[in-house]
Amino acid sequence: MAEFDALRIDRDGKRNIKDIVTEEAPLTIYLGGKELLTLLCSPDSLKELSIGFLYSSGIIKSMADIKDIAIDDKNWVSHVELSGSDDSSELIFKRLFTSGCGRGTLFYNALDLAHKKIIKSDITVLSDRITALMNTFQDKSVLFKETGGVHSAALSDGERILAFKEDIGRHNAVDKIIGDAVMKGLDMINMIVLTSGRISSEIVHKVAKMRSPVLISRSAPTDQAVRAAREIQLTLIGFARGSRMNVYTGEERIV
Amino acid sequence: MAEFDALRIDRDGKRNIKDIVTEEAPLTIYLGGKELLTLLCSPDSLKELSIGFLYSSGIIKSMADIKDIAIDDKNWVSHVELSGSDDSSELIFKRLFTSGCGRGTLFYNALDLAHKKIIKSDITVLSDRITALMNTFQDKSVLFKETGGVHSAALSDGERILAFKEDIGRHNAVDKIIGDAVMKGLDMINMIVLTSGRISSEIVHKVAKMRSPVLISRSAPTDQAVRAAREIQLTLIGFARGSRMNVYTGEERIV
């Protein structure tokens, strides 16, 4: 968090205030010594973010695929060495950059392939439990309350919140909890993902990669997110606020 | 907008509802026949989005740099041919993709260069006028009210709102109004940019490219956004809600 002088204007006139503003940092991920990409993010949990991003982009499948990871949090750089042959990074660069790349969608085609695999999980959740989890989730959203500037994401086993991360980017917040789960080697098949941000198809694809059966947001989904979730039988809940929620698909898991 | 069946759960129990959900589309931009990138966006104003993106990324400086642009809004494809020599697109690809690329930050380095040039504009705005403009801006945000899923951006001459665009992505909403201004050949030096979304450094860089002197948001800025705005003397206002606002820098333009 950074403090800035600002001029507050309101009905009472003008006055100088100190305002707390959320921090933003460019994290550059290097793969085998070569620059992969730069993520604009909140400068915490950079290891989780790096690993979560590599996982949700299909570059790694588990921690076993990482030979070494070093985070330089002064210069916002993440150096990743993959296990396997020396040219494995080279192959990844070729695969990614020949299929087009871009903000929000670097791995759009790659992710697209993920959403055909149906999520099989017999987990059920009480709607009252969802309300309670979302209330806890809201209470934890400290950065947002102080600065109004970040998204949150969390992982839950249906009872407790097991991981909680914040970021200025809604994709990054989800990648941070994915990275946390990958680092701990958690089996995601009975896990719930909570998020404060809108659910676009990319968020569904990330959660699909993790094989989590339930995705819950305080905000709205897009049509492509609902379609993708229906296709893979992911339970998708939007507008989860107070005791209210909209279940867009997979309602058999909500009891 | 798309309508979906959903299950509403609230204090009164469960019931089936029809819910309006915002649409999301992958717009792939081709430059000289070669795939540049895919933007996940709301499927309207695709020409404005393409042009705005190319402009704010530093690929074009005006409409004169575009020989031809064809939008296929059934398949969400934008084909752009640049003026100049045949290899101008090829040079752009080389320049962009050798400096790393990624979501949110494809042109991070390129944009970074923009923010050293000081914005010289003697425009002044009454704070009451800002309140009125933001109220009009809010009233126009139709998609958000119906679906809770989009960001808005607008262009104003300080009196009226001249352009208004919505998108599921806050970067895209700003790029759409930039594209609109570029297509109309508007001189931006006395224009105000309004946005519903958070102001990260990328948004400041986009507005800096346009040379607009005033950027106003309903939401929070990041520290890097405030720093970048101070460096180029861009007036940056956050949390503009009702008659309240925080002026982070450039307060000499607010009277």
Side-chain angles (χ1 to χ4, degrees):
Chain A
M1 240 98 75
E3 196 182 70
F4 285 93
D5 291 315
L7 183 69
R8 165 76 53 86
I9 301 175
D10 58 20
R11 283 211 173 76
D12 303 329
K14 292 181 180 189
R15 64 191 185 282
N16 293 312
I17 60 162
K18 300 275 183 196
D19 196 51
I20 302 287
V21 170
T22 193
E23 284 180 273
E24 174 192 337
L27 173 69
T28 302
I29 302 179
Y30 286 83
L31 210 59
K34 203 174 155 188
E35 187 175 335
L36 177 65
L37 89 169
T38 299
L39 301 171
L40 295 184
C41 63
S42 299
D44 66 83
S45 308
L46 298 183
K47 192 171 183 180
E48 286 84 349
L49 176 58
S50 304
I51 290 169
F53 179 80
L54 293 174
Y55 182 89
S56 67
S57 304
I59 295 174
I60 63 165
K61 287 193 163 49
S62 74
M63 284 306 281
D65 291 335
I66 295 181
K67 189 159 73 184
D68 191 51
I69 176 165
I71 305 293
D72 173 354
D73 55 15
K74 280 204 182 100
N75 298 302
W76 301 315
V77 172
S78 172
H79 290 282
V80 181
E81 298 290 337
L82 296 180
S83 312
S85 65
D86 279 352
D87 54 15
S88 54
S89 304
E90 210 52 52
L91 286 172
I92 284 163
F93 277 97
K94 260 196 194 141
R95 181 164 57 87
L96 294 175
F97 293 106
T98 50
S99 65
C101 75
R103 53 172 193 173
T105 55
L106 179 52
F107 305 104
Y108 190 76
N109 294 326
L111 286 168
D112 212 28
L113 299 174
H115 78 141
K116 304 294 171 190
K117 215 172 144 189
I118 284 166
I119 293 174
K120 286 175 187 153
S121 171
D122 296 331
I123 186 179
T124 56
V125 196
L126 291 166
S127 60
D128 286 353
R129 197 67 221 138
I130 291 172
T131 299
L133 280 173
M134 285 304 281
N135 286 341
T136 309
F137 180 64
Q138 269 301 101
D139 291 343
K140 277 187 182 273
S141 299
V142 179
L143 257 181
F144 186 81
K145 278 180 196 150
E146 283 191 38
T147 66
V150 299
H151 285 292
S152 320
L155 195 69
S156 170
D157 58 2
E159 290 298 321
R160 293 166 309 131
I161 286 180
L162 304 175
F164 178 85
K165 299 290 177 189
E166 294 178 301
D167 201 280
I168 53 163
R170 64 194 169 83
H171 301 91
N172 293 339
V174 172
D175 276 340
K176 280 178 177 177
I177 63 144
I178 291 178
D180 186 86
V182 171
M183 284 165 68
K184 289 173 183 155
L186 292 180
D187 182 2
M188 304 298 298
I189 199 64
N190 292 316
M191 296 287 180
I192 294 169
V193 175
L194 312 175
T195 171
S196 63
R198 281 170 306 113
I199 302 182
S200 55
S201 59
E202 288 176 293
I203 302 294
V204 168
H205 292 318
K206 281 178 191 296
V207 173
K209 273 263 177 218
M210 300 172 82
R211 318 303 299 154
S212 291
V214 182
L215 173 58
I216 305 171
S217 173
R218 268 183 63 75
S219 305
T222 66
D223 66 333
Q224 299 292 354
V226 176
R227 286 195 184 97
R230 285 184 178 176
E231 207 168 348
I232 56 170
Q233 298 176 20
L234 168 76
T235 297
L236 182 66
I237 299 175
F239 295 106
R241 297 169 187 191
S243 58
R244 190 199 132 181
M245 67 196 74
N246 288 352
V247 187
Y248 291 95
T249 187
E251 55 268 25
E252 65 280 0
R253 294 197 183 100
I254 310 305
V255 289
Chain B
M1 239 97 74
E3 197 183 69
F4 284 94
D5 291 314
L7 183 70
R8 164 75 54 85
I9 301 176
D10 58 21
R11 284 210 173 78
D12 303 329
K14 291 181 180 191
R15 65 190 183 283
N16 294 313
I17 60 162
K18 300 274 181 196
D19 197 50
I20 302 287
V21 170
T22 193
E23 284 180 274
E24 174 191 336
L27 173 69
T28 302
I29 302 178
Y30 286 83
L31 209 58
K34 204 175 154 188
E35 187 175 335
L36 177 66
L37 89 169
T38 299
L39 301 171
L40 295 185
C41 63
S42 300
D44 66 84
S45 309
L46 298 183
K47 192 171 182 181
E48 286 84 350
L49 176 58
S50 304
I51 291 170
F53 179 80
L54 294 175
Y55 182 90
S56 68
S57 305
I59 294 174
I60 64 165
K61 287 194 163 51
S62 74
M63 284 306 281
D65 291 336
I66 295 182
K67 190 160 71 183
D68 192 51
I69 177 165
I71 305 293
D72 173 354
D73 55 14
K74 281 204 182 100
N75 297 301
W76 301 316
V77 172
S78 171
H79 290 281
V80 181
E81 298 290 337
L82 296 180
S83 311
S85 64
D86 279 352
D87 55 15
S88 54
S89 304
E90 211 50 54
L91 286 172
I92 284 162
F93 277 97
K94 261 198 193 138
R95 181 164 58 87
L96 294 176
F97 293 106
T98 51
S99 66
C101 77
R103 51 171 195 174
T105 55
L106 178 53
F107 306 102
Y108 190 75
N109 294 326
L111 285 169
D112 211 28
L113 301 173
H115 80 141
K116 303 294 172 191
K117 214 171 145 191
I118 285 165
I119 293 174
K120 285 175 188 155
S121 171
D122 296 331
I123 186 179
T124 56
V125 196
L126 291 166
S127 59
D128 286 352
R129 198 65 222 140
I130 291 172
T131 299
L133 280 173
M134 285 305 280
N135 286 342
T136 309
F137 180 62
Q138 269 302 100
D139 291 342
K140 276 185 183 275
S141 299
V142 179
L143 258 180
F144 186 80
K145 277 180 198 151
E146 284 189 37
T147 66
V150 300
H151 285 293
S152 321
L155 195 69
S156 170
D157 58 2
E159 291 298 320
R160 293 167 308 133
I161 286 180
L162 304 175
F164 178 85
K165 299 290 176 188
E166 295 178 299
D167 201 280
I168 53 164
R170 64 193 171 83
H171 301 90
N172 293 339
V174 172
D175 277 338
K176 280 178 178 176
I177 62 144
I178 292 178
D180 186 85
V182 171
M183 284 164 69
K184 289 174 182 157
L186 292 180
D187 182 3
M188 304 299 297
I189 199 64
N190 292 316
M191 296 288 180
I192 294 169
V193 175
L194 311 175
T195 171
S196 64
R198 282 169 308 113
I199 302 181
S200 56
S201 60
E202 288 175 292
I203 302 293
V204 168
H205 292 318
K206 280 179 191 298
V207 172
K209 273 265 179 217
M210 300 172 83
R211 319 303 299 154
S212 290
V214 182
L215 172 58
I216 304 171
S217 173
R218 269 184 63 75
S219 306
T222 67
D223 67 332
Q224 299 293 355
V226 176
R227 287 195 183 96
R230 285 184 177 176
E231 208 169 344
I232 57 169
Q233 298 176 20
L234 168 76
T235 297
L236 182 66
I237 299 176
F239 296 106
R241 297 170 188 190
S243 58
R244 190 199 132 182
M245 67 196 75
N246 288 351
V247 187
Y248 291 95
T249 187
E251 56 268 25
E252 65 281 0
R253 294 197 183 99
I254 310 304
V255 288

